[in-house]
Amino acid sequence: MAVRTTSIPTARLDVVIAEQEAIFLARQPRSAELQRRAVRSLAGGVTSSWQITRPGVVWIRGGRGSRIWDVDGTEYVDLHGGYGVNAVGHAHPAVVRAVRERVANGTHFAQPAEDAVVVAEDLARRFGLPLWRFANSGTEATMDAVHLMREFTGRRLIAKIEGAYHGHHDSVMVSVYNPLEELGPVGQPWSAPSGAGIPKEFTDLTRIVPYNDVDAVERLFGRHPGEIAGLIMEPVMMNAGIITPEPGYLEAVREVVHTAGALLAFDEVKTGLTVGPSGATGAYGVSPDIVCLAKAMGGGVSCGAIGGTEDVMAHVVEGSYDQVGTFNGNPLVMAAARAALTEVLTDDAYRRFDHLRDRIVSGLEAVVERQGLATHVVAIGAKGCVTFSADPVRNYREFLGIDDRFSHCHWLFQHNGGVFLPPWGKAEQWMLSAQHEDEDADRFVANFERFARAISS
Ligand SMILES: Cc1ncc(COP(=O)(O)O)c(C=O)c1O
């Protein structure tokens, strides 16, 4: 189904984008200068390809509380959140204290340190899964989950949702950001390699189903009896704006997967600790066999974790699956994670997220109403986004139908108006922290109103 997109004349949109890009560039001469230097030693002038922003890369000097400053000295309300990491905000005193104490006491031994137990206990309580291990990124966490599902079942194939991103390892770089013509028939999607360097022999092992479609999961498992180890999925899709599960969908998926003797892994790298204290697992009340975490769990330090049932993690305990890594459970990460989980991401933080989110959503919706924009707002916990379509979006193919220029234009208005949002257009969402205030939310809404007026006039 095609979604009805916002009916603003796109010629007008292009003019407004050009004006805003000119303002953007004029504001950041020092960033441009650093970028000219960076390209001589950093490939592409950045440290990850998703740090490239259009029309120029923004170099950051530091952050405190809800604010960050670029190298030109401009202050922003940070709703980028470092791609969903900074639920604690910047330089939170509890995290600073924990990290400082740890640094002064040695940061790496490749032997466990006590904070790891506190973090594992906290995660076990939140997610209802008894046993945990740590990794260093979301990519490593989902890679472990895929390996474990295969090892547990002795099966080679895995299933994933069309359009979902789970990190950049071979098994999951399949049908991620591919264009419509590469996705295949809707009833039986292809396994499209996403990105270079991934042989088809690998991607063929990953089978694709659309989100919010239980029948498709049933059909897939029916076509491959006894062959699919498990399904890895984001319970709420968060790399296609935000797409929420329809009522009963997650429960039904779990039932189909378990009936087929396979496992269900929730990739909560983005949703865990942001959509609620116990992630989407808690918010929707559906327990998977494996949960993958990263991002917000580490209080701003690179991290990853997987939790599992006794049965699944028995394969780690007994050593049939070696879950390993030099930096796993690194004491610096564990100190930051302990402070984040036990001192910052408390009930108060989630009450603050709810309050600020409601303030933003009602502000944005009032603007949408006033300006008559065919647009809607999707928000959950600390996260939210404006989706530039009149209709709700149910899956990746519908998401592809949205004109990305609206999100880019909105991003520019926010940036030039002192609010930093994630740069990757319609795919990303805003992120609140435990240190944001009402005035931060209000600045975001005011910028949205300026944007809405500019494109509607
Ligand atoms: C849902 C999801 N899973 C996994 C990852 C990979 O995490 P990382 O970038 O820490 O490897 C991401 C990153 O954005 C993600 O959004």
Side-chain angles (χ1 to χ4, degrees), residues 137-140 142 165-168 234 239 267 269-270 294-295:
S137 67
T139 295
E140 287 185 27
T142 62
Y165 179 67
H166 297 293
H168 57 278
E234 282 189 279
N239 287 288
D267 175 353
V269 166
K270 270 191 158 177
K295 295 201 190 249

Side-chain angles (χ1 to χ4, degrees), residues 251-266:
E251 292 88 332
V253 165
R254 184 179 57 183
E255 177 70 28
V256 171
V257 168
H258 283 171
T259 303
L263 296 177
L264 179 64
F266 277 175

Side-chain angles (χ1 to χ4, degrees), residues 26-32 34 58-62 67-77 415 418 420 443:
R27 279 157 49 98
Q28 13 220 13
R30 176 87 186 105
S31 263
L34 247 178
V58 186
W59 288 78
I60 302 298
R61 198 175 60 206
R67 307 294 168 100
I68 54 174
W69 290 267
D70 68 16
V71 290
D72 285 283
T74 305
E75 181 187 283
Y76 305 87
V77 169
H415 192 84
F420 211 129
R443 191 191 292 187

Side-chain angles (χ1 to χ4, degrees), residues 31-320:
S31 263
E33 193 184 312
L34 247 178
Q35 191 61 19
R36 283 192 289 277
R37 176 176 152 206
V39 290
R40 295 200 289 271
S41 57
L42 279 172
V46 285
T47 58
S48 160
S49 297
W50 290 342
Q51 292 168 2
I52 295 169
T53 51
R54 204 175 82 216
V57 176
V58 186
W59 288 78
I60 302 298
R61 198 175 60 206
R64 183 169 291 274
S66 64
R67 307 294 168 100
I68 54 174
W69 290 267
D70 68 16
V71 290
D72 285 283
T74 305
E75 181 187 283
Y76 305 87
V77 169
D78 182 17
L79 291 177
H80 182 322
Y83 281 134
V85 166
N86 293 316
V88 297
H90 297 283
H92 191 288
V95 178
V96 170
R97 191 183 341 103
V99 167
R100 190 173 275 151
E101 278 169 15
R102 189 67 254 180
V103 168
N105 205 16
T107 58
H108 185 77
F109 315 104
Q111 286 298 125
E114 189 174 337
D115 282 343
V117 185
V118 179
V119 174
E121 287 168 351
D122 186 280
L123 296 178
R125 181 182 56 76
R126 287 177 190 252
F127 290 88
L129 289 172
L131 291 171
W132 290 79
R133 273 289 180 91
F134 298 109
N136 304 286
S137 67
T139 295
E140 287 185 27
T142 62
M143 187 178 69
D144 272 324
V146 168
H147 290 167
L148 254 178
M149 293 197 299
R150 286 187 168 135
E151 206 283 326
F152 184 91
T153 56
R155 302 174 179 179
R156 284 182 336 138
L157 302 183
I158 61 149
K160 78 174 273 294
I161 302 288
E162 189 167 76
Y165 179 67
H166 297 293
H168 57 278
H169 58 95
D170 295 350
S171 296
V172 291
M173 282 300 279
V174 189
S175 299
V176 180
Y177 293 118
N178 301 66
L180 193 59
E181 58 275 16
E182 294 177 11
L183 298 178
V186 71
Q188 199 169 328
W190 296 332
S191 301
S194 304
I198 301 171
K200 193 165 173 315
E201 287 83 346
F202 292 172
T203 59
D204 279 349
L205 295 174
T206 300
R207 302 303 163 97
I208 304 300
V209 283
Y211 188 65
N212 270 329
D213 186 345
V214 187
D215 293 344
V217 181
E218 205 156 13
R219 283 197 306 273
L220 177 70
F221 278 90
R223 281 198 300 277
H224 300 281
E227 286 185 282
I228 303 177
L231 170 69
I232 183 163
M233 66 182 296
E234 282 189 279
V236 179
M237 272 185 89
M238 286 223 174
N239 287 288
I242 297 178
I243 310 181
T244 52
E246 290 179 345
Y249 168 66
L250 295 174
E251 292 88 332
V253 165
R254 184 179 57 183
E255 177 70 28
V256 171
V257 168
H258 283 171
T259 303
L263 296 177
L264 179 64
F266 277 175
D267 175 353
E268 292 233 41
V269 166
K270 270 191 158 177
T271 52
L273 307 163
T274 63
V275 307
S278 40
T281 297
Y284 291 93
V286 176
S287 298
D289 305 292
I290 298 172
V291 162
C292 306
L293 295 176
K295 295 201 190 249
M297 179 204 123
V301 182
S302 61
C303 63
I306 69 165
T309 59
E310 298 269 4
D311 281 359
V312 169
M313 295 308 263
H315 291 241
V316 176
V317 174
E318 287 154 15
S320 51

